[in-house]
Amino acid sequence: MEIKNDEKVKVTFYPANKSTKVKKGENLLRAAMAANVHINASCGGAGTCGKCKVRIDSGEVTSQITEKLSDEELRENFRLACICNVESDLAVSIPVESLLDKSILERKPKKVISPILGVAKLCSLTPECQTESVVVKLHLELPKPNADDNMSDLDRVSVALKKQYELDLPSTDFAVIKKMSKILREADWNVTATVVLTRRGAKLINIQKGNTTCCNYSIVIDVGTTSVYCELLDVCKGEPIASASNYNMQISYGEDVISRIVYSQKKGGLEKLQERIVSTINGIIEEVIEESGVDRENVTHLVAAGNTTMTQILLGLDPKYIREAPYIPVANFIPPVRASSLGLNIENNAYLYTFPVISSYVGGDITAGVLGSGMFLRDELTLYIDVGTNGEMVLGNKDWLVTTSCSAGPAFEGGGVKFGMRATKGAIEQVRISPDDHEPMILVIGNVKPKGICGSGMIDVVAELLEVGLIDQSGKFYRDKNLDRIRKGDTGYEYVLAWEDETQLTRDITINEVDIENLVRTKAAIYSGCVVLLNNVGLTFDDVDSFIIAGGFGHYIDVERGISIGLLPELDTEKFTFIGNGSLLGARLVSLSKDMLTEASKVARMMTNIELSNNKMFMDEYISAMFLPHTDLSAFKNTMGRLEKLWDRNNHIEKGDDIEL
Ligand code: FES
């Protein structure tokens, strides 16, 4: 089991004399980013460009072996920051060739908040909550039958469950009855019963030889329109042990839910779409099973969270009426279904639980996110924002919840962006651009050469291009910059984030004006959706106590950069919390606690949906938000003040003026 080391150490960078506290073992390049210190890093942490050279003046680091440093440099304590880990308090000097940004922009360290990982934290908010899974394994040592005790095998198991665990057994899967007699005798009456706990008692779904109570696993799935994420959980320990993801294979039938619904109405369309999502999930299940080495028979249940269309298609339910006025889903609460009946490759009688949906366009993924965030238990007013192909927002507290959704486009998940990709290994997730020479400092997930850019990287790069004055507020590149990294490409002007030889690809990784426009559309939809939702209940951003941002767009999201591009409102950054994938978070909770399953229904019942289609205010707000950060600059006064200072400073640098850095 992984041992968590939360010990913090201090790293000071010279000559900037900037310090930051990081966890022991943190990557040194990430520490530099946290301290807002620019180190030239163009291979994203793969250790191949040799540009992130630093000298360790005091303290301990561990480092991978590299040919990029000479023996003499190694003797003088030079290291490559990207393949170096901080082991104690450090003093680090950045040589001139690595230190391109002498100004060190004044930014508050960004707030990275870990997701709530276990049931315990949420359960501590509801004292009566039990951390008992909805599917449990119970060890039974049964008395052997004889002439005086000749009850049936099933009755024998039923009596033992009542006697040992005070559980009634009103129902049993027929498949279990079929194999029961043989297993009981081969196991010499020493068996483990897998039961689903229901309000009426237990349902027996499997019987295994011996004591397998320590092997209870579940699979949780975020069924997204663009991407599908999956985790294998150890139910006994309450923690994920393997994870995998892939693009939803339905993508070739349309990028958004509307085009999927349209396709589902063609002959055989629904069956094809269902087959595609089942294949996607099966592929991911294979990966997590292989990675964990878990016996498939010990996967006792699955929990899936998806938007309404994705949920219905997965279950083979016609989504036709989701798209037709008055926009009705088949059902808000769908009972668990046998996973194998859908074609999911799970060997035993495991059931698939899906989250209740609120409306046609606010689905189970939002119920899961609200559950996982715990906002429905708090007094304070929270705005929950889920950034995906659809943008969903939920506003409220323990007394009321209102929600809405809008089509945001897949830009944050890599769609509609030339080098866009999911937040997986090889994705550029953080970017800084030197205002002096416009060289990038990039960080790549997995510390490998980059092959694309994920959502958080997109937010960073657009904010950086704006701040260093390479694009204007409409997202267009200034044409008068004489830089190698800015050029005219196939789809208009573009900025080179990584040259071909620094990537895993056979071409440069760039971001172009079409990519930026797609990102601007996405951020405009999210921001204006929030404004309209607040307006519907007579509130503004200032009334909100806390903001929770969910989405699978990256491991790190910089709130200040989200504000710079107008994705998030200009408020104290302390108000924002980032919880990563909200669907998975809620699905984990339901998988580990049957009380959370009940809470999920409560959350869904609490939510009132506000429809944005044909909402005039939404369209007006959306058009106003199609600017960086916004056309209403009064809502972004501080941001504009900061940007204007930066632009002014950049102009002086370009003119060669001697300014105080
Ligand atoms: Fe460190 Fe390239 S060698 S970023």
Side-chain angles (χ1 to χ4, degrees), residues 559-592:
V559 168
E560 196 165 332
R561 283 181 162 61
I563 297 172
S564 282
I565 65 165
L567 166 68
L568 303 173
E570 186 182 276
L571 293 167
D572 181 358
T573 55
E574 290 298 311
K575 282 191 172 187
F576 295 89
T577 304
F578 173 58
I579 61 163
N581 189 319
S583 301
L584 282 186
L585 191 55
R588 274 184 217 143
L589 295 177
V590 162
S591 171
L592 299 175

mmCIF file of all heavy atoms in Angstrom, residues 559-592:
data_model
loop_
_atom_site.group_PDB
_atom_site.id
_atom_site.type_symbol
_atom_site.label_atom_id
_atom_site.label_comp_id
_atom_site.label_asym_id
_atom_site.label_seq_id
_atom_site.Cartn_x
_atom_site.Cartn_y
_atom_site.Cartn_z
ATOM 1 N N VAL A 559 -6.433 28.796 -10.989
ATOM 2 C CA VAL A 559 -7.643 29.612 -10.878
ATOM 3 C C VAL A 559 -7.403 31.004 -11.454
ATOM 4 O O VAL A 559 -8.232 31.558 -12.186
ATOM 5 C CB VAL A 559 -8.090 29.690 -9.403
ATOM 6 C CG1 VAL A 559 -9.148 30.764 -9.216
ATOM 7 C CG2 VAL A 559 -8.636 28.345 -8.947
ATOM 8 N N GLU A 560 -6.225 31.552 -11.157
ATOM 9 C CA GLU A 560 -5.965 32.907 -11.626
ATOM 10 C C GLU A 560 -5.979 32.989 -13.154
ATOM 11 O O GLU A 560 -6.438 33.961 -13.744
ATOM 12 C CB GLU A 560 -4.624 33.394 -11.089
ATOM 13 C CG GLU A 560 -4.525 34.885 -11.228
ATOM 14 C CD GLU A 560 -3.408 35.468 -10.399
ATOM 15 O OE1 GLU A 560 -3.062 34.877 -9.359
ATOM 16 O OE2 GLU A 560 -2.876 36.496 -10.813
ATOM 17 N N ARG A 561 -5.509 31.923 -13.778
ATOM 18 C CA ARG A 561 -5.524 31.904 -15.244
ATOM 19 C C ARG A 561 -6.953 31.711 -15.765
ATOM 20 O O ARG A 561 -7.313 32.244 -16.808
ATOM 21 C CB ARG A 561 -4.595 30.830 -15.748
ATOM 22 C CG ARG A 561 -3.209 31.332 -15.634
ATOM 23 C CD ARG A 561 -2.177 30.403 -16.112
ATOM 24 N NE ARG A 561 -0.982 31.196 -16.314
ATOM 25 C CZ ARG A 561 -0.378 31.863 -15.353
ATOM 26 N NH1 ARG A 561 -0.863 31.823 -14.141
ATOM 27 N NH2 ARG A 561 0.692 32.593 -15.589
ATOM 28 N N GLY A 562 -7.737 30.928 -15.021
ATOM 29 C CA GLY A 562 -9.153 30.782 -15.379
ATOM 30 C C GLY A 562 -9.843 32.135 -15.349
ATOM 31 O O GLY A 562 -10.693 32.439 -16.190
ATOM 32 N N ILE A 563 -9.448 32.980 -14.373
ATOM 33 C CA ILE A 563 -10.023 34.335 -14.288
ATOM 34 C C ILE A 563 -9.496 35.194 -15.436
ATOM 35 O O ILE A 563 -10.244 35.932 -16.076
ATOM 36 C CB ILE A 563 -9.698 34.974 -12.916
ATOM 37 C CG1 ILE A 563 -10.354 34.171 -11.785
ATOM 38 C CG2 ILE A 563 -10.150 36.440 -12.885
ATOM 39 C CD1 ILE A 563 -9.943 34.581 -10.380
ATOM 40 N N SER A 564 -8.193 35.059 -15.724
ATOM 41 C CA SER A 564 -7.580 35.875 -16.793
ATOM 42 C C SER A 564 -8.302 35.721 -18.126
ATOM 43 O O SER A 564 -8.429 36.674 -18.884
ATOM 44 C CB SER A 564 -6.119 35.465 -17.019
ATOM 45 O OG SER A 564 -5.307 36.005 -16.039
ATOM 46 N N ILE A 565 -8.759 34.484 -18.417
ATOM 47 C CA ILE A 565 -9.414 34.300 -19.723
ATOM 48 C C ILE A 565 -10.929 34.490 -19.619
ATOM 49 O O ILE A 565 -11.642 34.372 -20.606
ATOM 50 C CB ILE A 565 -9.087 32.929 -20.357
ATOM 51 C CG1 ILE A 565 -9.638 31.760 -19.531
ATOM 52 C CG2 ILE A 565 -7.594 32.778 -20.603
ATOM 53 C CD1 ILE A 565 -9.666 30.443 -20.294
ATOM 54 N N GLY A 566 -11.429 34.732 -18.392
ATOM 55 C CA GLY A 566 -12.866 34.974 -18.235
ATOM 56 C C GLY A 566 -13.682 33.703 -18.141
ATOM 57 O O GLY A 566 -14.888 33.723 -18.343
ATOM 58 N N LEU A 567 -13.035 32.579 -17.822
ATOM 59 C CA LEU A 567 -13.780 31.343 -17.569
ATOM 60 C C LEU A 567 -14.436 31.430 -16.197
ATOM 61 O O LEU A 567 -15.569 30.995 -16.003
ATOM 62 C CB LEU A 567 -12.816 30.138 -17.626
ATOM 63 C CG LEU A 567 -13.313 28.806 -17.070
ATOM 64 C CD1 LEU A 567 -14.424 28.243 -17.960
ATOM 65 C CD2 LEU A 567 -12.173 27.783 -16.983
ATOM 66 N N LEU A 568 -13.710 32.014 -15.250
ATOM 67 C CA LEU A 568 -14.182 32.133 -13.874
ATOM 68 C C LEU A 568 -14.352 33.599 -13.513
ATOM 69 O O LEU A 568 -13.646 34.453 -14.064
ATOM 70 C CB LEU A 568 -13.159 31.482 -12.914
ATOM 71 C CG LEU A 568 -12.847 30.010 -13.189
ATOM 72 C CD1 LEU A 568 -11.710 29.523 -12.306
ATOM 73 C CD2 LEU A 568 -14.086 29.159 -12.987
ATOM 74 N N PRO A 569 -15.245 33.906 -12.576
ATOM 75 C CA PRO A 569 -15.451 35.310 -12.202
ATOM 76 C C PRO A 569 -14.273 35.849 -11.400
ATOM 77 O O PRO A 569 -13.544 35.077 -10.765
ATOM 78 C CB PRO A 569 -16.715 35.254 -11.337
ATOM 79 C CG PRO A 569 -16.735 33.875 -10.782
ATOM 80 C CD PRO A 569 -16.127 32.993 -11.822
ATOM 81 N N GLU A 570 -14.123 37.161 -11.449
ATOM 82 C CA GLU A 570 -13.006 37.789 -10.744
ATOM 83 C C GLU A 570 -13.348 37.929 -9.262
ATOM 84 O O GLU A 570 -14.006 38.883 -8.847
ATOM 85 C CB GLU A 570 -12.730 39.161 -11.347
ATOM 86 C CG GLU A 570 -11.502 39.801 -10.764
ATOM 87 C CD GLU A 570 -11.287 41.173 -11.359
ATOM 88 O OE1 GLU A 570 -10.699 41.255 -12.437
ATOM 89 O OE2 GLU A 570 -11.724 42.143 -10.749
ATOM 90 N N LEU A 571 -12.948 36.944 -8.490
ATOM 91 C CA LEU A 571 -13.207 36.931 -7.049
ATOM 92 C C LEU A 571 -11.953 36.424 -6.352
ATOM 93 O O LEU A 571 -11.017 35.945 -7.009
ATOM 94 C CB LEU A 571 -14.384 35.996 -6.739
ATOM 95 C CG LEU A 571 -15.754 36.449 -7.279
ATOM 96 C CD1 LEU A 571 -16.742 35.314 -7.189
ATOM 97 C CD2 LEU A 571 -16.275 37.666 -6.515
ATOM 98 N N ASP A 572 -11.968 36.487 -5.025
ATOM 99 C CA ASP A 572 -10.848 35.982 -4.247
ATOM 100 C C ASP A 572 -10.562 34.527 -4.636
ATOM 101 O O ASP A 572 -11.463 33.682 -4.590
ATOM 102 C CB ASP A 572 -11.243 36.073 -2.758
ATOM 103 C CG ASP A 572 -10.134 35.599 -1.854
ATOM 104 O OD1 ASP A 572 -9.086 35.172 -2.368
ATOM 105 O OD2 ASP A 572 -10.334 35.657 -0.625
ATOM 106 N N THR A 573 -9.327 34.237 -5.022
ATOM 107 C CA THR A 573 -9.007 32.882 -5.498
ATOM 108 C C THR A 573 -9.195 31.836 -4.393
ATOM 109 O O THR A 573 -9.364 30.656 -4.676
ATOM 110 C CB THR A 573 -7.558 32.798 -6.041
ATOM 111 O OG1 THR A 573 -6.675 33.254 -5.027
ATOM 112 C CG2 THR A 573 -7.379 33.619 -7.282
ATOM 113 N N GLU A 574 -9.198 32.292 -3.144
ATOM 114 C CA GLU A 574 -9.408 31.362 -2.021
ATOM 115 C C GLU A 574 -10.807 30.744 -2.050
ATOM 116 O O GLU A 574 -11.065 29.732 -1.417
ATOM 117 C CB GLU A 574 -9.226 32.090 -0.676
ATOM 118 C CG GLU A 574 -7.790 32.488 -0.374
ATOM 119 C CD GLU A 574 -6.870 31.282 -0.273
ATOM 120 O OE1 GLU A 574 -7.238 30.350 0.440
ATOM 121 O OE2 GLU A 574 -5.811 31.280 -0.931
ATOM 122 N N LYS A 575 -11.714 31.378 -2.763
ATOM 123 C CA LYS A 575 -13.086 30.857 -2.817
ATOM 124 C C LYS A 575 -13.215 29.627 -3.713
ATOM 125 O O LYS A 575 -14.242 28.960 -3.717
ATOM 126 C CB LYS A 575 -14.033 31.938 -3.359
ATOM 127 C CG LYS A 575 -14.408 33.003 -2.349
ATOM 128 C CD LYS A 575 -15.549 33.829 -2.915
ATOM 129 C CE LYS A 575 -16.094 34.786 -1.868
ATOM 130 N NZ LYS A 575 -17.296 35.480 -2.338
ATOM 131 N N PHE A 576 -12.199 29.379 -4.545
ATOM 132 C CA PHE A 576 -12.316 28.310 -5.542
ATOM 133 C C PHE A 576 -11.671 27.014 -5.066
ATOM 134 O O PHE A 576 -10.574 27.022 -4.511
ATOM 135 C CB PHE A 576 -11.638 28.729 -6.856
ATOM 136 C CG PHE A 576 -12.302 29.891 -7.526
ATOM 137 C CD1 PHE A 576 -11.923 31.200 -7.234
ATOM 138 C CD2 PHE A 576 -13.316 29.688 -8.447
ATOM 139 C CE1 PHE A 576 -12.537 32.278 -7.845
ATOM 140 C CE2 PHE A 576 -13.935 30.763 -9.071
ATOM 141 C CZ PHE A 576 -13.544 32.059 -8.769
ATOM 142 N N THR A 577 -12.368 25.926 -5.301
ATOM 143 C CA THR A 577 -11.825 24.607 -5.005
ATOM 144 C C THR A 577 -11.933 23.761 -6.271
ATOM 145 O O THR A 577 -12.958 23.796 -6.954
ATOM 146 C CB THR A 577 -12.658 23.917 -3.893
ATOM 147 O OG1 THR A 577 -12.696 24.762 -2.766
ATOM 148 C CG2 THR A 577 -12.057 22.584 -3.517
ATOM 149 N N PHE A 578 -10.892 23.027 -6.570
ATOM 150 C CA PHE A 578 -10.884 22.170 -7.750
ATOM 151 C C PHE A 578 -10.943 20.722 -7.292
ATOM 152 O O PHE A 578 -10.111 20.290 -6.491
ATOM 153 C CB PHE A 578 -9.610 22.443 -8.552
ATOM 154 C CG PHE A 578 -9.406 21.510 -9.697
ATOM 155 C CD1 PHE A 578 -10.353 21.400 -10.690
ATOM 156 C CD2 PHE A 578 -8.257 20.754 -9.791
ATOM 157 C CE1 PHE A 578 -10.164 20.535 -11.751
ATOM 158 C CE2 PHE A 578 -8.059 19.887 -10.853
ATOM 159 C CZ PHE A 578 -9.018 19.779 -11.839
ATOM 160 N N ILE A 579 -11.946 19.974 -7.743
ATOM 161 C CA ILE A 579 -12.072 18.595 -7.244
ATOM 162 C C ILE A 579 -11.814 17.538 -8.313
ATOM 163 O O ILE A 579 -12.031 16.355 -8.078
ATOM 164 C CB ILE A 579 -13.446 18.334 -6.592
ATOM 165 C CG1 ILE A 579 -14.593 18.545 -7.596
ATOM 166 C CG2 ILE A 579 -13.639 19.156 -5.342
ATOM 167 C CD1 ILE A 579 -15.899 17.922 -7.131
ATOM 168 N N GLY A 580 -11.328 17.954 -9.486
ATOM 169 C CA GLY A 580 -11.043 16.954 -10.525
ATOM 170 C C GLY A 580 -12.341 16.370 -11.068
ATOM 171 O O GLY A 580 -13.320 17.076 -11.264
ATOM 172 N N ASN A 581 -12.339 15.073 -11.278
ATOM 173 C CA ASN A 581 -13.473 14.412 -11.915
ATOM 174 C C ASN A 581 -14.599 14.169 -10.902
ATOM 175 O O ASN A 581 -14.557 13.246 -10.100
ATOM 176 C CB ASN A 581 -12.989 13.090 -12.516
ATOM 177 C CG ASN A 581 -14.047 12.448 -13.381
ATOM 178 O OD1 ASN A 581 -15.222 12.451 -13.028
ATOM 179 N ND2 ASN A 581 -13.646 11.911 -14.498
ATOM 180 N N GLY A 582 -15.617 15.028 -10.927
ATOM 181 C CA GLY A 582 -16.716 14.954 -9.963
ATOM 182 C C GLY A 582 -17.536 13.675 -10.100
ATOM 183 O O GLY A 582 -18.020 13.116 -9.110
ATOM 184 N N SER A 583 -17.687 13.186 -11.340
ATOM 185 C CA SER A 583 -18.472 11.966 -11.556
ATOM 186 C C SER A 583 -17.825 10.789 -10.837
ATOM 187 O O SER A 583 -18.494 10.009 -10.160
ATOM 188 C CB SER A 583 -18.552 11.633 -13.047
ATOM 189 O OG SER A 583 -19.136 12.672 -13.740
ATOM 190 N N LEU A 584 -16.509 10.668 -11.003
ATOM 191 C CA LEU A 584 -15.814 9.549 -10.358
ATOM 192 C C LEU A 584 -15.848 9.683 -8.845
ATOM 193 O O LEU A 584 -15.968 8.700 -8.125
ATOM 194 C CB LEU A 584 -14.350 9.473 -10.819
ATOM 195 C CG LEU A 584 -14.093 8.862 -12.190
ATOM 196 C CD1 LEU A 584 -12.588 8.723 -12.425
ATOM 197 C CD2 LEU A 584 -14.747 7.494 -12.355
ATOM 198 N N LEU A 585 -15.749 10.914 -8.388
ATOM 199 C CA LEU A 585 -15.759 11.164 -6.944
ATOM 200 C C LEU A 585 -17.076 10.665 -6.329
ATOM 201 O O LEU A 585 -17.081 9.929 -5.339
ATOM 202 C CB LEU A 585 -15.605 12.673 -6.729
ATOM 203 C CG LEU A 585 -15.343 13.190 -5.340
ATOM 204 C CD1 LEU A 585 -14.120 12.537 -4.736
ATOM 205 C CD2 LEU A 585 -15.153 14.704 -5.397
ATOM 206 N N GLY A 586 -18.192 11.036 -6.951
ATOM 207 C CA GLY A 586 -19.497 10.590 -6.446
ATOM 208 C C GLY A 586 -19.678 9.092 -6.609
ATOM 209 O O GLY A 586 -20.218 8.419 -5.723
ATOM 210 N N ALA A 587 -19.198 8.561 -7.739
ATOM 211 C CA ALA A 587 -19.355 7.121 -7.986
ATOM 212 C C ALA A 587 -18.565 6.307 -6.956
ATOM 213 O O ALA A 587 -19.017 5.261 -6.498
ATOM 214 C CB ALA A 587 -18.899 6.782 -9.399
ATOM 215 N N ARG A 588 -17.393 6.824 -6.570
ATOM 216 C CA ARG A 588 -16.610 6.147 -5.514
ATOM 217 C C ARG A 588 -17.422 6.070 -4.230
ATOM 218 O O ARG A 588 -17.454 5.036 -3.570
ATOM 219 C CB ARG A 588 -15.350 6.949 -5.191
ATOM 220 C CG ARG A 588 -14.180 6.663 -6.076
ATOM 221 C CD ARG A 588 -13.001 7.475 -5.539
ATOM 222 N NE ARG A 588 -12.202 7.960 -6.625
ATOM 223 C CZ ARG A 588 -11.598 9.138 -6.659
ATOM 224 N NH1 ARG A 588 -11.712 9.975 -5.657
ATOM 225 N NH2 ARG A 588 -10.879 9.480 -7.689
ATOM 226 N N LEU A 589 -18.039 7.193 -3.863
ATOM 227 C CA LEU A 589 -18.784 7.234 -2.608
ATOM 228 C C LEU A 589 -19.934 6.233 -2.607
ATOM 229 O O LEU A 589 -20.131 5.487 -1.649
ATOM 230 C CB LEU A 589 -19.328 8.642 -2.354
ATOM 231 C CG LEU A 589 -18.282 9.732 -2.118
ATOM 232 C CD1 LEU A 589 -18.958 11.078 -1.967
ATOM 233 C CD2 LEU A 589 -17.446 9.429 -0.895
ATOM 234 N N VAL A 590 -20.690 6.212 -3.709
ATOM 235 C CA VAL A 590 -21.828 5.288 -3.787
ATOM 236 C C VAL A 590 -21.343 3.837 -3.763
ATOM 237 O O VAL A 590 -21.946 2.962 -3.150
ATOM 238 C CB VAL A 590 -22.660 5.584 -5.048
ATOM 239 C CG1 VAL A 590 -23.567 4.422 -5.403
ATOM 240 C CG2 VAL A 590 -23.487 6.840 -4.820
ATOM 241 N N SER A 591 -20.214 3.624 -4.408
ATOM 242 C CA SER A 591 -19.676 2.266 -4.465
ATOM 243 C C SER A 591 -19.252 1.770 -3.082
ATOM 244 O O SER A 591 -19.316 0.578 -2.796
ATOM 245 C CB SER A 591 -18.485 2.265 -5.417
ATOM 246 O OG SER A 591 -17.826 1.061 -5.348
ATOM 247 N N LEU A 592 -18.829 2.696 -2.229
ATOM 248 C CA LEU A 592 -18.283 2.298 -0.929
ATOM 249 C C LEU A 592 -19.297 2.393 0.203
ATOM 250 O O LEU A 592 -19.062 1.871 1.286
ATOM 251 C CB LEU A 592 -17.066 3.177 -0.585
ATOM 252 C CG LEU A 592 -15.896 3.095 -1.567
ATOM 253 C CD1 LEU A 592 -14.817 4.088 -1.185
ATOM 254 C CD2 LEU A 592 -15.315 1.693 -1.607
#
